[in-house]
Amino acid sequence: MKPLLQAMKERRLYLDGGMGSMLQAAGLPEGLLPDVWGMQNPAAVQGVHRAYLEAGARLITTNTFGTSAPKLAPYGVTVDEVMAAAVANVRQAMQQAGVEDAYVCADLGPSGKLLRPYGDLDFEDAVTLFAETVRAAAKAGADCILIETMSDLYEMKAAVLAAKENCDLPILASLIFDATGKLLTGGSPRAAVGLLEGLGVDVLGINCGLGPKEMAPTFEALWEDASTPLLLQPNAGLPHSVDGKAVYDVSPEEYAAEMLPLAPMATILGGCCGTTPAHIKALIDATKELPLPEVTQKDTMFITSYCQAVALDGKDPVIIGERINPTGKKKLQAALREGDTGYVLNEAFKQEEAGAHILDVNVGLPGLDEPAVLTKMVEAIQEVTGLPLQLDTSNPEAMERALRRYNGKPLINSVNGKEESLNAILPLVKKYGGGLVCLALDDNGIPATAEGRVAIAEKIIARAEALGIPRRELLVDGLTMPVSAGGDNAKVTLATLAGAKKLGVKTALGVSNVSFGLPKRDHLNQAFFTMALYQGLDGAIINPMSAAMMGAFKSYRALLGLDDQCQEYMTYMENLKEAAPAPAKAAPAAAPAEGSAPAAPPKAENTLNYSVCKGLKEAAAAQAKELAEGGREILDIINGELVPALDEVGKAFEKGKLFLPQLLMSAEAAKEAFQVLKEYLPATESHGAPQIVLATVKGDIHDIGKNIVKVLLESYRFRVLDLGKDVPPEAIVEAVRAQKIPLVGLSALMTTTAPYMKETIQALHEAGLDCKVVVGGAVITQDYADEIKADHYAADAMETVHYAQEVLGG
């Protein structure tokens, strides 16, 4: 049989469909982990696999969606045992069906937890968790690793790294987007393409959550940007409730018809929740004669964070903020030595508000533990802003540590033509992904001519491509030398830019070096910047708070027709105060910064409201203490500072201007402040019995949604009793009865555990308890909530807060 990746080049391959509902029909008890039941009942699982094989599927997914050590611990079985049995079940089904050209896809589902700082699972712990499952899959003889239903790009990165580091099998990576085209943590299709292609997955795609029609816009967005084969596995439409169970009623024929317009873009097709062998057969019959998609190599470089993607397309330049670099900045140097994260974060906020698209982060100081400090600062900045970052260090150890923990695909600054640099940096780019700044210097120094610098660029490009790093991921830095040291320096740098553009790569420059040692530097910088932009500069490393530089940038984009009706130019100039060296209010970030929120007038720094809005926990606590000790009424601080800030962030979240991580960090900042203020409140005001019980229902060990709701409720000063996950109805009833709790929040992620929501609500009613019940979770809909007689359905965490305010006041 041909290797999977070779087979993909010759014909469209078909994955199987839903597993959980099929196993339920075969006898899977409610609440039992399907992975374990499948090991104990091999004939039932083999029957499902065989049915899909007979329908024509040739990529068969193991029954291991929940196979990880924490999920298996209650059952007394190991990851190796479950995976070995699951792979054997697929192989046995192939024999039974007489199929020899099918492949075993080892299924890896999400951990069920959010990663730090937004949750409690550390990134390296997540890698370790997935690595155990990957090793078991390779040992059992799987043909590929299918990482599916991931709602967080950071967790997906952990799983992909685990696969790359623990096996040599092909990697298929599939995400779950909502109807707005966003992941749970705010990631966009473009951000997903940037990360996953940077990591080098073999296939990327979408599964679950939506039907084909609802999934179409997101899948089409992937197709526009991706240079990698695509996978598509929708649900059989959107679920509705019948007798308390989620039911998908798009027929096989309807499913095939809805998939037909999308099929030409997909190398791999299949189904997810609600699909059956009949759906897969109808899909194959409708699409098997379609030609394979031509997967083209796009030319755009995407630099991403967990939510945003900045596109460097060779046409529209982007601003890389240079202010987080200690060279010549005594205050920043002191902050780095003292571990003052707050100062660094405020520099990030200022540059973001001024219109930077990417932030350069450099912490290189003598005597500093650069690997530790760079990683710490990168993580801290990513906690509070969605802007992508440029990791700027000459220390390979620092680069690797920061790259590994970076949430997205960064710019990497830099590599040069020295063998030592090439050997140290290129393998890191290949492993972790990133746009790479290539300095035009080598062991002989910086060539005096443009031809010499371009020759070094050609050498770096050849070495990168030989390692499998596409040319689109490279930016050549022509090296800006001060004109005070040589009259031809600027001309040589500009000629290097022009020569590099002919090589088909992007370009970058630290612009302000040109004026070093001269007076009135902004004038010279502005003129040189404009000249460089006209020569094809793609990534400008500048101070975005310089009115001269940003004015040149806005003017260039307006003059070249990159600014629709000159709107950004006019907005910028309207807000520019002549007396100030920088704009008081910045225009929105330029077009390349996909996914960013419109800029707003910067808030006054060093206020509690500002710190909560920005998610600055330490600053919020310090400012709360200062206000309390300054004599301001505690309730006035809470109602005048904390609550308005939370409401502002909550509204921005609901409007799609902020994403879940920013919402959670603001909530945590408010909690830190309230913990301080609580010490100044009378005891009767600062403590009390629980008002709300939260629980993930019996059989379900996924608690992401519940934990998010808890953080937000507590930030609004509601008192929460968290019963955890896999909570039986009787435990919830007992807690409500004992504590006289007026509001219960129930969560479920899986269709197989959702019925326990109904059972829990029935138990509360039968006990005669006077409480309201709000429900939510990935598989829960308004229809289902009505069916099980819940008092309220919350589509997201903020909706739960609003309902708590309605029921409990506050």
Side-chain angles (χ1 to χ4, degrees):
M1 187 173 68
K2 294 180 180 178
L4 173 59
L5 297 183
Q6 179 62 37
M8 282 171 43
K9 296 176 182 179
E10 299 176 2
R11 70 185 195 277
R12 180 174 282 103
L13 295 175
Y14 293 89
L15 274 157
D16 48 17
M19 173 63 75
S21 56
M22 297 283 289
L23 291 181
Q24 281 182 316
L28 171 66
E30 290 182 351
L32 181 63
L33 191 68
D35 315 42
V36 175
W37 188 81
M39 183 177 68
Q40 298 167 345
N41 298 271
V45 177
Q46 291 167 20
V48 175
H49 292 325
R50 188 171 63 252
Y52 281 119
L53 287 162
E54 290 169 349
R58 290 298 178 263
L59 294 174
I60 304 301
T61 308
T62 57
N63 179 36
T64 55
F65 182 81
T67 298
S68 65
K71 295 178 183 179
L72 297 179
Y75 299 95
V77 293
T78 68
V79 170
D80 276 358
E81 290 170 339
V82 174
M83 184 61 77
V87 171
N89 281 336
V90 178
R91 297 288 184 201
Q92 186 63 35
M94 291 178 185
Q95 290 183 7
Q96 294 168 2
V99 172
E100 297 181 352
D101 61 345
Y103 300 87
V104 179
C105 302
D107 192 31
L108 271 70
S111 66
K113 294 182 175 294
L114 276 177
L115 273 62
R116 291 177 182 162
Y118 316 115
D120 57 4
L121 181 61
D122 182 75
F123 178 80
E124 290 298 342
D125 290 339
V127 174
T128 300
L129 188 75
F130 291 120
E132 183 179 13
T133 309
V134 168
R135 288 193 297 270
K139 180 180 176 182
D143 297 307
C144 68
I145 303 295
L146 171 61
I147 306 166
E148 59 143 314
T149 323
M150 289 286 182
S151 59
D152 174 14
L153 288 176
Y154 204 30
E155 185 176 20
M156 175 62 89
K157 178 177 179 177
V160 172
L161 283 178
K164 291 179 69 172
E165 293 172 349
N166 290 276
C167 76
D168 58 1
L169 300 174
I171 302 171
L172 286 58
S174 186
L175 295 152
I176 175 172
F177 289 87
D178 65 19
T180 69
K182 297 293 183 185
L183 299 171
L184 174 68
T185 48
S188 66
R190 180 165 283 184
V193 168
L195 173 71
L196 293 174
E197 291 192 341
L199 288 171
V201 302
D202 298 290
V203 180
L204 63 90
I206 318 176
N207 75 291
C208 203
L210 303 169
K213 289 190 296 186
E214 297 79 15
M215 202 175 273
T218 302
F219 191 68
E220 289 164 355
L222 285 183
W223 171 252
E224 287 296 318
D225 290 329
S227 302
T228 301
L230 298 184
L231 170 159
L232 181 62
Q233 279 188 291
N235 292 345
L238 299 176
H240 67 278
S241 179
V242 175
D243 296 328
K245 293 186 178 182
V247 173
Y248 299 83
D249 60 2
V250 170
S251 71
E253 294 72 26
E254 292 169 328
Y255 185 77
E258 291 176 7
M259 288 284 278
L260 195 56
L262 303 175
M265 295 177 274
T267 299
I268 295 176
L269 290 171
C272 204
C273 299
T275 58
T276 67
H279 288 82
I280 300 304
K281 185 178 187 308
L283 172 65
I284 294 171
D285 289 343
T287 61
K288 62 185 178 183
E289 299 301 327
L290 294 175
L292 271 176
E294 183 179 352
V295 181
T296 59
Q297 294 300 303
K298 311 299 192 299
D299 190 47
T300 300
M301 173 195 297
F302 297 120
I303 303 302
T304 75
S305 67
Y306 67 87
C307 62
Q308 293 186 31
V310 171
L312 286 91
D313 59 7
K315 302 172 185 175
D316 200 349
V318 302
I319 300 299
I320 303 169
E322 69 179 6
R323 296 294 301 166
I324 306 176
N325 185 320
T327 304
K329 303 181 183 72
K330 292 183 178 179
K331 289 184 179 180
L332 179 58
Q333 291 174 10
L336 291 173
R337 293 192 186 282
E338 295 165 8
D340 182 0
T341 305
Y343 182 89
V344 177
L345 296 184
N346 276 317
E347 286 295 314
F349 294 142
K350 290 175 185 177
Q351 294 182 93
E352 181 175 22
E353 289 162 354
H357 306 115
I358 299 169
L359 301 179
D360 181 81
V361 184
N362 183 312
V363 300
L365 280 175
L368 213 62
D369 183 353
E370 192 173 357
V373 176
L374 180 61
T375 303
K376 175 184 176 182
M377 290 303 168
V378 165
E379 290 181 327
I381 294 168
Q382 288 206 294
E383 285 183 17
V384 296
T385 177
L387 285 190
L389 305 182
Q390 173 172 271
L391 308 182
D392 187 356
T393 177
S394 59
N395 183 323
E397 181 188 354
M399 183 65 78
E400 177 159 25
R401 285 178 59 176
L403 265 175
R404 188 172 181 86
R405 304 287 295 209
Y406 182 80
N407 192 351
K409 177 193 168 196
L411 261 180
I412 297 170
N413 192 7
S414 56
V415 72
N416 59 57
K418 298 177 181 180
E419 285 300 315
E420 181 182 13
S421 177
L422 292 167
N423 293 333
I425 301 302
L426 291 182
L428 297 182
V429 179
K430 176 64 176 176
K431 179 174 181 178
Y432 296 105
L436 180 60
V437 177
C438 308
L439 303 183
L441 62 88
D442 60 13
D443 292 300
N444 296 315
I446 302 173
T449 66
E451 292 78 11
R453 297 183 194 182
V454 172
I456 294 174
E458 289 181 296
K459 172 187 174 181
I460 298 172
I461 293 166
R463 292 286 290 274
E465 290 188 322
L467 203 60
I469 300 169
R471 190 171 294 222
R472 68 167 181 268
E473 303 292 4
L474 307 178
L475 299 96
V476 170
D477 186 332
L479 298 173
T480 305
M481 307 299 289
V483 291
S484 59
D488 289 336
N489 280 347
K491 290 193 293 183
V492 170
T493 299
L494 294 173
T496 304
L497 283 182
K501 295 296 285 188
K502 292 178 182 177
L503 300 177
V505 295
K506 315 299 187 299
T507 57
L509 278 182
V511 176
S512 60
N513 290 343
V514 74
S515 64
F516 185 79
L518 295 173
K520 305 288 185 181
R521 295 182 63 184
D522 259 2
H523 295 287
L524 203 59
N525 292 344
Q526 183 182 42
F528 179 64
F529 183 28
T530 302
M531 295 169 74
L533 287 169
Y534 192 71
Q535 287 293 341
L537 177 61
D538 296 295
I541 306 172
I542 66 168
N543 176 9
M545 291 179 282
S546 164
M549 300 300 275
M550 292 303 289
F553 176 71
K554 301 294 183 184
S555 300
Y556 172 82
R557 295 189 75 253
L559 290 169
L560 262 71
L562 300 171
D563 178 3
D564 187 30
Q565 297 184 333
C566 302
Q567 288 298 307
E568 287 186 19
Y569 175 84
M570 290 189 292
T571 302
Y572 183 85
M573 294 304 169
E574 286 170 4
N575 291 310
L576 189 64
K577 293 183 179 178
E578 293 183 6
K585 175 184 175 183
E594 170 267 343
S596 59
K603 290 176 175 287
E605 293 178 35
N606 301 320
T607 67
L608 181 54
N609 183 286
Y610 175 89
S611 294
V612 171
C613 284
K614 294 296 188 181
L616 301 173
K617 294 183 286 186
E618 294 179 3
Q623 288 152 358
K625 183 178 179 66
E626 183 178 348
L627 288 172
E629 293 186 347
R632 187 169 171 181
E633 289 289 333
I634 302 304
L635 291 180
D636 182 47
I637 299 171
I638 293 170
N639 295 323
E641 298 279 349
L642 293 184
V643 173
L646 284 170
D647 286 344
E648 180 179 337
V649 173
K651 289 175 182 176
F653 171 75
E654 291 173 332
K655 292 178 181 178
K657 295 180 179 180
L658 290 179
F659 304 115
L660 179 64
Q662 294 156 303
L663 179 67
L664 291 176
M665 295 313 297
S666 291
E668 290 287 0
K671 283 175 61 180
E672 291 287 333
F674 181 69
Q675 288 301 316
V676 172
L677 298 175
K678 194 164 62 172
E679 301 302 318
Y680 296 87
L681 283 170
T684 55
E685 293 186 55
S686 61
H687 303 287
Q691 299 167 294
I692 305 168
V693 157
L694 292 180
T696 302
V697 297
K698 182 178 176 181
D700 203 319
I701 57 176
H702 300 86
D703 57 359
I704 288 178
K706 172 186 65 64
N707 291 343
I708 292 169
V709 169
K710 179 184 178 183
V711 169
L712 293 182
L713 287 170
E714 289 181 339
S715 72
Y716 276 85
R717 298 181 62 211
F718 292 109
R719 298 185 297 277
V720 177
L721 174 59
D722 183 1
L723 298 181
K725 56 195 177 185
D726 190 18
V727 184
E730 55 270 22
I732 298 171
V733 169
E734 181 55 33
V736 173
R737 179 187 289 116
Q739 302 274 4
K740 297 182 173 57
I741 291 174
L743 180 60
V744 175
L746 301 178
S747 174
L749 178 72
M750 301 164 62
T751 55
T752 55
T753 59
Y756 282 106
M757 239 178 217
K758 179 178 181 180
E759 186 176 322
T760 300
I761 293 172
Q762 287 176 337
L764 289 168
H765 290 166
E766 290 169 1
L769 296 171
D770 184 19
C771 64
K772 299 290 186 182
V773 180
V774 55
V775 298
V779 298
I780 308 305
T781 62
Q782 181 67 62
D783 180 40
Y784 185 79
D786 293 340
E787 169 79 19
I788 63 176
K789 296 182 170 54
D791 296 290
H792 192 79
Y793 163 66
D796 57 44
M798 279 306 301
E799 177 60 28
T800 306
V801 172
H802 295 327
Y803 186 64
Q805 290 172 323
E806 177 185 328
V807 173
L808 304 172

